[in-house]
Amino acid sequence: MDVTTLTLTQLREALRRKEISSVEVTQAMLDRIVAADNEIQSYLTISDELALAQAAEADRRRAQGDDSPLLGVPVAIKDIICTKGIPTTAGSKILENFIPPYDAFVVEKLKDAGAVILGKTNTDEFAMGSSTENSAYVVTRNPWDKSRVPGGSSGGSAAAVAAHLAYAALGTDTGGSVRQPASFCGVVGLRPTYGRISRWGVIAFASSLDQVGTFGRTVADCTALFQVVAGYDRRDSTSLNVPVPDYEAALTGDIKGLRVGVPKEYFIEGIEPEVETAVRAAIAKLEELGAEIHEISLPHTRYALPAYYLIAPAEASANLGRYDGIRYGPRVPGKDMIDTVKQTRALFGPEVRRRIMLGTYALSAGYYDQYYGRALKVRTLIKNDFKTAFEKVDVIAAPVSPTTAFKIGERVNDPLSMYLADILTLPVNLSASCGLSVPCGFDSNGLPIGLQLIGDTLAEATILNVAYAYEQATSE
Amino acid sequence: MTQYEAVIGLEIHAELMTRSKMFCGCRVVDSVEAPPNTAVCPVCLGMPGMLPVINRQAVEYAMRVALALNCTIQHHNIFARKNYFYPDLPKAYQISQYELPLGVNGWLDIELDSGETKRIGIRRVHMEEDTGKLTHLEDGGSLVDYNRSGVPLLEIVSEPDIRSGEEARAYAMKVRQILRYLGVNSGDMEKGVFRVEPNISVRPAGSQILGTRTELKNLNSFRSLAEGTAYEIARQIAVLRDGGQVVQETRGWHEGRRETFTQRVKEEAEDYRYFPEPDLPPLEIDNAWIERVRAELPELPDAKIARYRAEYGLTEYDARVLAEERAVAEWFETAVSIGSDPKTIANWIINDLFRLMNEHKQSITEIRISPHNLVELIQLVSNQTINNNTAKEVLAEMFTTGQPAQTIVQSRGLAQISDETTLRNLINQILVNHPEEVIAYRNGKQQLRGWFVGQVMKATRGQANPALVNKLLTQLLNTPSDNTNT
Ligand SMILES: [Zn+2]
């Protein structure tokens, strides 16, 4: 049996039945990473020794009767999430060789659940990007077509899961950074409600928009990982102190009578016809499964992009001020203290610098009301759009991205076209809703297309179940 | 010649003596004494992915201050990021309150040298976090200590109601006194836990238009505050009289030369790019919380002074001295509650105990004498076991040994001789031994009376009951027949 082809859920059963040990599975995965990841470049760090030690520990726990939810399951973590003892770079030279002395909340949760950490996956620098090309280290390739991007910013995690280089992976989604690469790589990616998962130990890009998300090859796999990392944490004052439901049990596949809204603003000019066709076919499938389809309107959708590109850079400009080489990270010596800081900060890549400048400008005196202040008002309008919509429907169905995976290098010098890649995902981040991407077919180039399902605040169980129903009905 | 008046507002920064820092679990330590970077954690070092959590004790301390300064507490509190770069600020932003501060529209009455009271408005009281400390080395290098980074800091901003250096001093001292009463700040200016920065401008007397202001820094004593402010007022007036213009700038106070000097010229207002801190949801403070904190406030100095005068009949001066420090006031009140005349207790504290504390450089919380000990001593005087002078000696010994008065009086045999027969015999003996003085006295040399008292005291090593000695001397000196009896 080639264990690397198993889904997480299948592997979990095999481990439970003791048909295979975690050490064997972990070794098989590490071997596969060595063999295949040269081409994909999904990992920045492979923590092989640590992974094998964790696997051995998991097998010991198993022998003692432990059956923790992810006991012995090898997973990958986006390199913007802090891991104690494992380098965490945020895809930036400014954190090269930075080894955090602490684990992020989600990593603590993974360890409690017995998961094995294979390594850290590639990301756009500080998660700023939609192709993972902004990583200061490597360019990750789309496993479906290696001349194309995996999407971003969590492109490393999406590619690793798609290429069977991890059973599941953690990403972060600030404007679409889980859903868009999931769509490009043909895997399932969930972006939960803001506050559902503690951000403790997640390197901040835009604090009011950042949220950890999960990738799996199937809806059940994505849900299994989400089940473990969801939760409140008093160290993150914005995390929601509400109980974590049994998401896995909610995957019934029954969506009869469910009201599905289709927002007309999401089928915009510029959307690839093949994408629209696939998404409309998926929506028809949901109807076939017993759902009611309603056309709805989210009238302020077109203001989401400009609002997002004021709010996110503004917060980023403050969040990234701390990287000065004084307390951690590399230091580039200059002629005096201030010059040293300036030289060190020159380690930021061009996209990060662009956004720091954008954000600094948006917050500056005299411009605040015109830019940041107005963007906050738009954010309220977008929140209200969703609030109104969810009075009429239970989920919203739409495309994830207007296009399928684009060519490496195609958009890297055109920031605006790159920003448009997130145009259909970032309204979720600006609102209090949750969203996911589930594969819904391929274009004529054989590239995956994603169906986006958006749910109301904390309605993760609902959207996961709709995705599950669709997945079950469309896979033989 | 145009007369000018000064317009001064004070910004006071006070660290709060909470157990832990404003947004993390680190201890708040003495940042002068503690070894550098020993009270730090990933949060207050601004490490990647770390998040702030509001310290409720700090909020309560801040509420105490805002209430004591007669502010209105706002229910909806927002923290903001104040962005600026300096190596002692680990996140490159300070979490502070901007648009919605904790307390607004307060006031404080200060006493002027003339004896009048003046009300100074308090514009706002808000919470923030302190920065680390940077030390520049001679070789051009710099050292940074983050122990102070993230320590809860209160900013208290007055209205521009202050008109002189003396008023500035009186106001700042009063604020410090209240903070110490509230137990939230030690008031140590040298250690920088209480920092005062005046904004000073001058204008023609009677004008309503504000002049260009300067901000004064490096004031590490109240004396420097008063002198520096006065200096700056005089300097600005001189500039204007010379036909010049005051430059908007930050000026430092030079301790040695006792003058102000330009530190930094502000070409334009600094742009801190404030925006709401996304890592902290709004802090809601309900009436129940406010009322609980209000109910727990201690009696404040002005109220104490009024009560000491009305209830105990103390003079304003004595009341003020006793109420100056909360610990002294509480010591005094404990003594009164044990039961003795408040005025007598006040006298003993102000005249004798304070002298001993000064000599030994001890504060009221360090001394070995308890209020109970003092009351016992006072009782030994009132029941005539010892006289006042002996009592002062006993107090000194109590101060150094910590023994109760009774023990000292007994072990040193200091109890007064109040037995009439014993004293009568003793006095008769003295009169017999000094016939010339007796004759001289009886012939009108009245001043010898004191000499006789001295002889009695000498013979009794000071233990004779003075009142009784007086009475007996009157009898015996004025009755020659008694004299001849012996
Ligand atoms: Zn700390």
Side-chain angles (χ1 to χ4, degrees):
Chain A
M1 150 172 90
D2 178 5
V3 293
T4 64
T5 62
L6 298 178
T7 65
L8 182 154
T9 324
Q10 289 165 339
L11 172 69
R12 191 158 65 171
E13 282 314 306
L15 287 167
R16 271 182 186 146
R17 289 195 300 266
K18 296 184 184 159
E19 291 166 9
I20 189 163
S21 73
S22 176
V23 170
E24 288 171 295
V25 173
T26 302
Q27 190 59 60
M29 263 304 177
L30 290 170
D31 291 346
R32 187 172 158 77
I33 292 169
V34 170
D37 203 44
N38 263 346
E39 244 187 315
I40 307 286
Q41 303 265 44
S42 60
Y43 282 90
L44 288 177
T45 301
I46 299 155
S47 47
D48 44 4
E49 278 178 36
L50 221 53
L52 287 168
Q54 287 170 343
E57 174 62 19
D59 287 335
R60 249 191 311 278
R61 279 167 69 176
R62 176 80 64 197
Q64 285 161 4
D66 190 340
D67 187 29
S68 295
L70 294 180
L71 193 60
V73 175
V75 299
I77 298 174
K78 184 181 184 181
D79 207 27
I80 203 163
I81 297 171
C82 289
T83 41
K84 190 175 178 174
I86 305 174
T88 302
T89 68
S92 180
K93 287 286 179 194
I94 214 158
L95 282 175
E96 189 162 21
N97 297 322
F98 171 64
I99 300 176
Y102 42 83
D103 274 329
F105 169 84
V106 286
V107 177
E108 292 171 353
K109 286 283 204 178
L110 283 182
K111 287 181 173 174
D112 287 349
V116 171
I117 296 162
L118 292 167
K120 305 298 291 291
T121 55
N122 198 18
T123 167
D124 284 301
E125 186 174 2
F126 287 98
M128 295 176 186
S130 307
S131 68
T132 317
E133 290 166 291
N134 293 335
S135 165
Y137 297 99
V138 293
V139 173
T140 302
R141 289 163 190 277
N142 192 314
W144 296 88
D145 176 348
K146 297 188 185 69
S147 70
R148 291 176 187 270
V149 302
S153 63
S154 313
S157 286
V161 171
H164 296 201
L165 301 173
Y167 289 93
L170 292 179
T172 58
D173 188 321
T174 304
S177 286
V178 164
R179 288 159 291 159
Q180 187 255 20
S183 155
F184 280 16
C185 291
V187 296
V188 181
L190 169 70
R191 193 274 186 196
T193 310
Y194 184 79
R196 174 69 288 187
I197 301 177
S198 166
R199 291 182 294 120
W200 173 261
V202 177
I203 298 181
F205 159 17
S207 312
S208 76
L209 302 160
D210 293 345
Q211 181 64 193
V212 172
T214 56
F215 292 98
R217 268 171 48 222
T218 65
V219 175
D221 288 6
C222 179
T223 307
L225 185 58
F226 173 53
Q227 186 77 57
V228 162
V229 296
Y232 167 73
D233 176 10
R234 63 168 301 281
R235 295 168 298 181
D236 175 2
S237 306
T238 65
S239 72
L240 300 170
N241 192 1
V242 287
V244 177
D246 189 338
Y247 296 112
E248 297 187 77
L251 301 181
T252 62
D254 178 8
I255 58 165
K256 280 193 190 64
L258 191 95
R259 298 166 302 168
V260 176
V262 180
K264 56 175 189 273
E265 293 83 0
Y266 278 59
F267 294 85
I268 50 169
E269 209 177 311
I271 189 167
E272 285 177 357
E274 287 181 313
V275 170
E276 177 161 359
T277 307
V279 169
R280 292 224 185 260
I283 291 166
K285 189 75 190 174
L286 296 179
E287 188 166 27
E288 202 179 292
L289 293 170
E292 300 167 12
I293 310 298
H294 301 268
E295 176 159 304
I296 60 162
S297 174
L298 297 166
H300 297 94
T301 301
R302 68 196 180 96
Y303 302 111
L305 189 82
Y308 177 87
Y309 277 98
L310 289 168
I311 293 169
E315 292 179 6
S317 72
N319 283 329
L320 272 59
R322 70 188 64 195
Y323 303 106
D324 53 18
I326 290 173
R327 283 145 295 145
Y328 46 82
R331 181 185 299 175
V332 183
K335 60 179 189 290
D336 56 27
M337 181 178 74
I338 298 296
D339 191 45
T340 296
V341 172
K342 282 184 179 166
Q343 300 292 333
T344 301
R345 286 175 69 77
L347 292 171
F348 281 132
E351 182 60 27
V352 172
R353 293 192 212 181
R354 180 169 16 249
R355 298 206 198 184
I356 289 173
M357 285 190 285
L358 260 175
T360 303
Y361 187 73
L363 290 173
S364 49
Y367 295 102
Y368 181 95
D369 290 337
Q370 191 178 342
Y371 295 121
Y372 190 77
R374 190 169 294 188
L376 290 183
K377 285 180 187 143
V378 169
R379 187 171 190 176
T380 305
L381 294 175
I382 288 168
K383 267 185 199 167
N384 291 340
D385 275 2
F386 281 101
K387 210 176 147 209
T388 310
F390 286 120
E391 283 162 11
K392 287 183 233 133
V393 299
D394 303 304
V395 297
I396 292 168
V400 176
S401 166
T403 69
T404 52
F406 46 86
K407 292 268 189 193
I408 290 168
E410 188 182 304
R411 298 193 187 184
V412 79
N413 293 318
D414 182 359
L416 210 58
S417 76
M418 190 71 96
Y419 295 173
L420 285 171
D422 293 332
I423 194 158
L424 302 177
T425 47
L426 46 84
V428 165
N429 302 68
L430 290 170
S431 70
S433 48
C434 54
L436 62 74
S437 173
V438 61
C440 68
F442 296 87
D443 69 6
S444 48
N445 290 322
L447 297 172
I449 299 169
L451 166 69
Q452 183 172 206
L453 295 168
I454 301 169
D456 201 355
T457 307
L458 292 173
E460 287 83 2
T462 309
I463 58 171
L464 285 165
N465 186 42
V466 177
Y468 182 73
Y470 175 76
E471 180 191 65
Q472 295 303 302
T474 52
S475 62
E476 335 22 272
Chain B
M1 198 160 64
T2 317
Q3 290 304 306
Y4 287 92
E5 70 167 356
V7 178
I8 303 160
L10 251 54
E11 263 181 39
I12 294 178
H13 284 94
E15 285 182 11
L16 296 176
M17 296 191 296
T18 46
R19 279 186 299 279
S20 55
K21 292 187 179 179
M22 187 69 211
F23 299 114
C24 65
C26 288
R27 288 169 302 131
V28 170
V29 296
D30 184 322
S31 61
V32 175
E33 306 283 325
N37 298 307
T38 49
V40 295
C41 74
V43 174
C44 56
L45 287 175
M47 293 189 72
M50 296 294 95
L51 298 168
V53 176
I54 297 170
N55 176 348
R56 282 180 72 89
Q57 190 186 30
V59 176
E60 289 213 4
Y61 279 18
M63 284 164 71
R64 280 188 203 172
V65 175
L67 289 170
L69 297 177
N70 306 295
C71 288
T72 306
I73 304 272
Q74 305 219 94
H75 295 296
H76 186 65
N77 279 262
I78 300 256
F79 284 92
R81 289 186 183 177
K82 178 181 181 179
N83 296 284
Y84 67 93
F85 177 78
Y86 207 61
D88 64 6
L89 186 66
K91 299 188 295 292
Y93 56 83
Q94 180 190 33
I95 305 178
S96 179
Q97 289 191 292
Y98 183 52
E99 280 182 331
L100 295 168
L102 176 78
V104 291
N105 298 329
W107 50 264
L108 187 62
D109 286 337
I110 60 169
E111 293 72 38
L112 305 178
D113 288 344
S114 64
E116 283 171 76
T117 296
K118 177 169 178 176
R119 179 158 293 189
I120 307 295
I122 307 231
R123 183 177 293 174
R124 57 188 280 150
V125 172
H126 79 240
M127 296 174 279
E128 56 188 34
E129 55 177 338
D130 213 343
T131 62
K133 266 201 279 196
L134 207 58
T135 311
H136 298 292
L137 303 176
E138 301 219 336
D139 67 2
S142 302
L143 300 175
V144 62
D145 173 12
Y146 292 108
N147 281 345
R148 209 179 67 175
S149 165
V151 167
L153 194 62
L154 211 58
E155 183 172 317
I156 302 162
V157 184
S158 84
E159 295 291 351
D161 295 343
I162 297 163
R163 294 286 172 267
S164 69
E166 277 314 315
E167 285 185 24
R169 185 203 331 235
Y171 167 78
M173 286 183 77
K174 186 88 179 253
V175 170
R176 182 177 78 151
Q177 182 189 36
I178 287 173
L179 296 186
R180 291 167 77 160
Y181 250 78
L182 298 172
V184 302
N185 181 281
S186 70
D188 194 330
M189 287 178 85
E190 294 219 328
K191 283 186 174 166
V193 300
F194 184 85
R195 316 195 274 271
V196 185
E197 286 159 13
N199 288 307
I200 304 161
S201 65
V202 298
R203 66 183 174 195
S207 165
Q208 290 305 307
I209 300 155
L210 289 170
T212 306
R213 62 181 206 181
T214 60
E215 199 179 310
L216 199 51
K217 288 188 193 272
N218 307 357
L219 303 168
N220 56 16
S221 69
F222 288 113
R223 183 176 157 227
S224 301
L225 169 63
E227 282 186 31
T229 305
Y231 180 95
E232 188 53 23
I233 294 167
R235 187 191 69 83
Q236 291 187 13
I237 292 174
V239 167
L240 295 179
R241 288 209 168 127
D242 279 357
Q245 281 190 323
V246 174
V247 177
Q248 182 169 341
E249 61 185 350
T250 301
R251 294 180 71 86
W253 170 247
H254 196 291
E255 273 299 326
R257 294 203 298 269
R258 311 212 75 75
E259 60 186 34
T260 67
F261 61 94
T262 298
Q263 269 191 335
R264 190 161 46 107
V265 177
K266 287 185 180 176
E267 306 259 306
E268 50 194 303
E270 216 156 333
D271 187 357
Y272 292 116
R273 292 176 283 119
Y274 283 100
F275 72 101
E277 165 58 284
D279 287 331
L280 293 172
L283 170 71
E284 306 294 345
I285 299 175
D286 62 13
N287 281 326
W289 194 7
I290 296 171
E291 290 316 312
R292 186 170 59 70
V293 173
R294 195 195 301 276
E296 286 166 8
L297 286 182
E299 186 181 34
L300 292 170
D302 285 353
K304 273 201 197 297
I305 292 164
R307 184 164 64 85
Y308 290 176
R309 296 181 68 187
E311 233 174 82
Y312 303 149
L314 300 191
T315 62
E316 161 138 22
Y317 174 80
D318 284 359
R320 222 168 253 299
V321 169
L322 289 172
E324 178 61 31
E325 259 186 75
R326 183 174 168 187
V328 171
E330 284 175 354
W331 204 97
F332 164 69
E333 288 174 30
T334 307
V336 170
S337 73
I338 292 166
S340 202
D341 171 43
K343 278 187 182 166
T344 309
I345 294 172
N347 282 335
W348 274 98
I349 294 175
I350 294 169
N351 298 326
D352 301 290
L353 198 57
F354 279 1
R355 186 178 44 77
L356 288 164
M357 282 159 57
N358 261 331
E359 279 169 18
H360 293 86
K361 297 192 166 43
Q362 287 184 340
S363 74
I364 197 94
T365 52
E366 292 164 327
I367 62 171
R368 299 170 75 177
I369 298 178
S370 70
H372 195 261
N373 293 151
L374 179 65
V375 171
E376 280 179 346
L377 179 70
I378 292 169
Q379 279 164 353
L380 289 179
V381 177
S382 62
N383 69 19
Q384 303 193 342
T385 306
I386 54 175
N387 64 37
N388 244 314
N389 285 334
T390 308
K392 287 181 201 295
E393 280 173 44
V394 171
L395 185 73
E397 192 165 335
M398 288 163 71
F399 198 94
T400 49
T401 65
Q403 286 178 325
Q406 196 68 53
T407 311
I408 294 166
V409 167
Q410 270 170 12
S411 69
R412 288 184 44 192
L414 295 173
Q416 277 190 138
I417 301 168
S418 298
D419 180 71
E420 197 166 329
T421 314
T422 310
L423 281 181
R424 185 184 295 273
N425 289 339
L426 184 81
I427 291 170
N428 274 329
Q429 192 60 52
I430 287 167
L431 299 188
V432 167
N433 291 349
H434 300 282
E436 290 112 73
E437 285 81 358
V438 173
I439 290 162
Y441 177 81
R442 288 185 181 147
N443 288 340
K445 205 172 174 193
Q446 292 288 315
Q447 60 268 46
L448 274 171
R449 189 187 169 89
W451 183 82
F452 283 109
V453 173
Q455 291 302 306
V456 178
M457 287 302 175
K458 197 171 155 195
T460 59
R461 298 199 320 273
Q463 286 168 260
N465 179 336
L468 195 54
V469 170
N470 264 321
K471 188 186 110 188
L472 291 171
L473 271 175
T474 307
Q475 276 180 19
L476 298 175
L477 279 170
N478 297 338
T479 324
S481 61
D482 277 9
N483 189 16
T484 52
N485 275 349
T486 42

